[in-house]
């Protein structure tokens, strides 16, 4: 080994020690011990005896992989893999693929490890190494959006765990993976009697939360009879074990406090009719002898005493009050200490509610932007172009993109504001620096020769495009990006780009655009289609608030489930709903793209 390389390794030890200096004071002794161990390993890696040098190089690479990946790679490069025993090969395979994983090359990890799950090489590994390899593969699948493959690997992981707590954590990871798969893709996932099939069947039951709770309890009992020995049977995930108690204690009288006149009448009617549609559908479900009373109260008046209206509903027998919607009345009720009956407000309060009986459910573009930016980041984007309309709405959405993207350490390197469809073209051209490229080509042509020809080039520091647009304007984005040499850039948008009506000829220009959407808009049922058609023809409904009304009904009986178990989810019409520690219900919208002019649901890329 050369003197320079020896100096390089000593420098790596110093860097490793310095990196440990940021740890807590109590960790100093441990850091020093590891640093001494690393220095000895690096010294042994220079031994002329391969029986000493190779294991030392491999152990040093394992320690350095996270903090000093280049040094770890250099140590691995000096090892002849062919001459390694199987246990050492498995350790080499782990650290080599951990380095690829840390670089974001999940495809390479999957290619390298997917063929090894049943190999003699993996079986020769010690339990710790085998677990780490399989977990690395499962995480790589999840980060590529292949959640079924991730769940399959984790199922094979289960038998490796001796500790019950670790086994339960792995079961939780299996559950998270399967619940990321769009509901209409689950039936085709498996049809045999394997452990995976039991997980899939349970996931399908969990994702039926928009229907009748009695029907869900019936399905769960059938699952228990079939899958009594399944790993999930003794500790049902996602709050499913609470369903029978919830069914017994669901509210028998519900009050809706909604604006039914004035400027918010459309919003109130959309919420009311979505709620009632879900309610009547539930009442017609099989074996459902439960009949709830729903009473609607108009909260339109600007000077309304919301506490008095709440008291009126409670005095009339309400066991749950849903609403109000208006921000001011939500804030007023949130300040009340006299909420003897639970409230599910349909907007978020500005301040922390006083009563623990105050719950909040709402829908906002922020939920979509959070998902869009997360998926873009996990997809590898760092620097983006943001195009948006020069309106108060467009500017507000653009500002929110900027704030959320910055919080993820992303950078908006260019913006392309537009006033109408005609102004989109010059704005995108300027933001992509096509004008500068064309000017440069003209300058070169004057200097070199009149016959000189050169294609314009776009700027190369953009990884993706964020689009704020309605469907009509959004259809121009892909053709314009292709015209300006940016057809390779991934494009992300909110649900505003989808009209909700199936129109392949018009929407073919939206192909490959990723967007967030209400799950309700991506599924097909007679009710969904009838309402979407009604809205598409100018009907007086808001698609998002109609869906929120459906989710308000689904949530009405499941508040104890969401509150009682943090892992509980409602797979609703507006998204996957969960409750935080302040009784605030947040949503994760669905993820989709356009293929052949049709909106198609996609699994999300997942954080490991």
């Amino acid at each position: 080994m050369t003197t320079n390389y020896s100096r390089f390794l000593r420098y790596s030890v110093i860097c490793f020690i310095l990196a440990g200096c940021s740890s807590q004071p109590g960790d100093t002794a441990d850091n020093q011990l590891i640093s001494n161990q690393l220095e000895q390993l690096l010294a042994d890696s220079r031994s002329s005896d391969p029986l000493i040098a190779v294991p030392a190089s491999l152990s040093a690479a394992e320690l350095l992989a996270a903090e000093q990946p280049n040094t770890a790679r250099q140590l691995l490069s000096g090892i002849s893999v062919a001459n390694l025993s199987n246990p050492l090969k498995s350790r080499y395979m782990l650290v080599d693929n951990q380095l690829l994983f840390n670089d974001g090359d999940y495809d390479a990890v999957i290619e390298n490890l997917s063929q090894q799950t049943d190999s003699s090489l993996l079986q020769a590994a010690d339990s710790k190494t085998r677990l780490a390899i399989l977990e690395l593969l499962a995480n790589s699948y999840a980060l590529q959006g292949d959640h079924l493959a991730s769940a399959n690997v984790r199922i094979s992981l289960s038998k490796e765990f001796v500790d019950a707590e670790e086994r339960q954590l792995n079961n939780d990871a299996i559950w998270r993976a399967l619940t990321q798969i769009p509901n209409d893709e689950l039936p085709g996932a498996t049809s045999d009697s394997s452990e995976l099939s039991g997980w899939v069947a349970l996931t399908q039951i969990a994702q039926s939360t928009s229907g009748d709770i009695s029907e869900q309890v019936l399905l769960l009992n059938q699952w228990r009879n079939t899958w009594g020995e399944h790993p999930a049977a003794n500790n049902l995930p996602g709050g499913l074990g609470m369903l029978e108690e919830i069914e017994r204690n669901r509210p028998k009288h519900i009050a809706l406090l909604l604006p039914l006149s004035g400027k918010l009448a459309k919003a109130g009617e959309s919420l009311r009719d979505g709620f009632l549609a879900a309610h009547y559908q539930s009442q017609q479900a099989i074996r459902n002898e439960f009949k709830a009373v729903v009473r609607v109260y108009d909260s339109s008046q600007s000077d309304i005493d919301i506490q008095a209206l709440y008291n009126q509903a409670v005095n009339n027998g309400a066991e749950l009050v849903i609403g109000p919607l208006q921000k001011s009345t939500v804030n007023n009720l949130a300040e009340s200490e006299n909420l003897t009956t639970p409230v599910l407000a349909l907007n978020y309060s500005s301040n922390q509610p006083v009563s623990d009986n105050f719950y909040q459910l709402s829908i906002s573009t922020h939920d979509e932007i959070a998902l869009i930016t997360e998926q873009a980041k996990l997809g590898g984007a760092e620097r983006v172009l943001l195009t948006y309309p020069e309106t108060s709405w467009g500017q507000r959405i653009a500002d929110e993109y900027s704030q959320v993207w910055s919080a993820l350490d992303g950078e908006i390197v260019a913006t392309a504001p537009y006033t109408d469809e005609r102004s989109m073209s010059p704005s995108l051209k300027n933001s992509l620096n096509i004008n500068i490229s064309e000017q440069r080509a003209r300058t070169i042509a004057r200097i070199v020769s009149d016959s000189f020809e050169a294609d314009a080039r776009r700027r190369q520091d953009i990884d993706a495009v964020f689009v704020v647009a309605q469907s009509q304007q959004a259809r121009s984005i892909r053709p314009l990006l292709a015209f300006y040499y940016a057809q390779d850039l991934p494009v992300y948008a909110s649900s505003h780009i989808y009209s909700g009506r199936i129109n392949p000829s018009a929407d073919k220009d939206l192909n490959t655009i990723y967007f967030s959407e209400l799950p309700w808009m991506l599924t097909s049922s007679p009710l969904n289609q009838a309402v979407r058609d009604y809205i598409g023809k100018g009907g007086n409904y808001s698609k998002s608030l109609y869906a929120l009304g459906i989710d308000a009904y689904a949530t009405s009986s499941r508040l104890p489930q969401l509150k009682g178990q943090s892992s509980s989810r409602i797979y609703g019409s507006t998204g996957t709903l969960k409750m935080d520690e302040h009784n605030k219900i947040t949503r994760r919208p669905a993820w989709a793209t356009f293929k052949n002019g049709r909106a198609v649901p996609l699994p999300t890329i997942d954080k490991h």
Side-chain angles (χ1 to χ4, degrees), residues 30-137:
D30 289 340
N31 288 333
Q32 188 59 51
L33 182 64
I34 294 172
S35 298
N36 293 341
Q37 179 188 4
L38 178 59
E39 193 164 7
Q40 183 60 54
L41 287 171
L42 291 173
D44 289 346
S45 73
R46 301 192 292 273
S47 171
S48 58
D49 183 352
L51 295 178
I52 296 174
V54 170
S57 295
L58 187 53
S59 295
E62 290 169 338
L63 285 173
L64 288 166
E67 298 290 344
Q68 294 288 315
N70 290 334
T71 308
R73 288 188 184 92
Q74 197 148 1
L75 286 162
L76 292 181
S77 69
I79 297 174
S80 174
V81 182
N83 296 327
L84 295 178
S85 65
N86 275 353
L88 287 180
K89 277 183 182 177
S90 64
R91 287 174 57 195
Y92 181 99
M93 179 170 64
L94 173 59
V95 69
D96 184 41
N97 284 280
Q98 184 67 62
L99 290 166
L100 290 170
F101 182 91
N102 292 345
D103 283 344
D105 196 351
Y106 312 121
D107 281 333
V109 176
I110 292 169
E111 183 178 354
N112 293 341
L113 299 184
S114 59
Q115 303 303 316
Q116 300 293 340
T117 53
D118 295 317
S119 69
S120 57
L121 179 60
L122 193 62
Q123 298 309 313
D126 61 75
S127 177
K128 182 180 177 181
T129 301
R130 190 162 55 246
L131 278 169
I133 288 172
L134 291 173
E135 187 138 22
L136 191 65
L137 178 58

Side-chain angles (χ1 to χ4, degrees), residues 264-279:
L264 291 178
K266 176 180 177 180
E269 290 168 2
S270 299
L271 284 161
R272 178 197 63 193
D273 292 356
F275 185 96
L276 292 177
H279 170 66

Side-chain angles (χ1 to χ4, degrees), residues 207-228:
Q207 292 192 355
S208 66
T209 45
S210 60
D212 174 61
I213 195 168
S214 297
E215 179 69 9
Q216 197 177 18
V217 169
L218 175 63
L219 292 171
L220 185 61
N221 288 333
Q222 290 173 348
W223 184 90
R224 281 173 164 148
N225 290 335
T226 304
W227 298 97

Side-chain angles (χ1 to χ4, degrees), residues 306-362:
I306 196 63
Q307 179 71 55
L309 190 61
Y310 166 86
N311 291 340
Q312 180 187 349
V314 172
N315 290 335
N316 287 338
E319 297 175 1
L320 173 67
V321 175
I322 296 181
L325 172 65
Q326 303 97 309
K327 190 80 168 180
S328 58
T329 53
V330 169
N331 288 337
N332 289 340
L333 203 55
E335 294 171 0
S336 174
E337 298 178 356
N338 302 313
L339 300 180
T340 55
T341 295
V343 172
L344 177 61
L346 297 176
N347 208 332
Y348 294 141
S349 64
S350 301
N351 301 307
Q352 177 62 31
V354 173
S355 173
D356 195 46
N357 254 346
F358 192 89
Y359 301 86
Q360 305 170 71
L361 171 67
S362 189

Side-chain angles (χ1 to χ4, degrees), residues 137-272:
L137 178 58
N139 288 337
S140 296
Y141 276 127
L143 283 161
Q144 291 295 75
D146 192 346
H147 299 293
L148 182 60
S150 179
N152 254 323
V153 173
R154 288 196 173 278
I155 287 171
S156 65
L157 256 173
S158 297
K159 59 180 177 290
E160 300 290 338
F161 292 107
V162 176
D163 183 77
E165 185 176 348
E166 289 181 338
R167 192 180 302 114
Q168 183 57 49
L169 289 172
N170 189 62
N171 284 348
D172 293 342
I174 294 169
W175 183 250
R176 285 196 304 273
L178 290 173
T179 55
Q180 294 289 333
I181 301 173
N183 193 30
D184 58 354
E185 292 183 17
L186 276 172
T190 179
S191 58
D192 55 29
S193 58
S194 65
E195 183 178 323
L196 175 63
S197 185
W199 279 112
V200 169
L202 191 60
T203 306
Q204 289 171 320
I205 294 170
Q207 292 192 355
S208 66
T209 45
S210 60
D212 174 61
I213 195 168
S214 297
E215 179 69 9
Q216 197 177 18
V217 169
L218 175 63
L219 292 171
L220 185 61
N221 288 333
Q222 290 173 348
W223 184 90
R224 281 173 164 148
N225 290 335
T226 304
W227 298 97
E229 302 300 316
H230 193 273
N234 292 328
N235 190 4
L236 291 169
L240 291 174
M242 301 174 65
L243 283 183
E244 289 181 335
E245 180 184 353
I246 290 168
E247 181 189 26
R248 288 193 299 269
N249 298 322
R250 56 189 160 174
K252 301 175 181 64
H253 184 143
I254 299 173
L256 301 182
L257 312 187
L258 296 171
L260 300 177
S261 58
K263 63 180 182 179
L264 291 178
K266 176 180 177 180
E269 290 168 2
S270 299
L271 284 161
R272 178 197 63 193

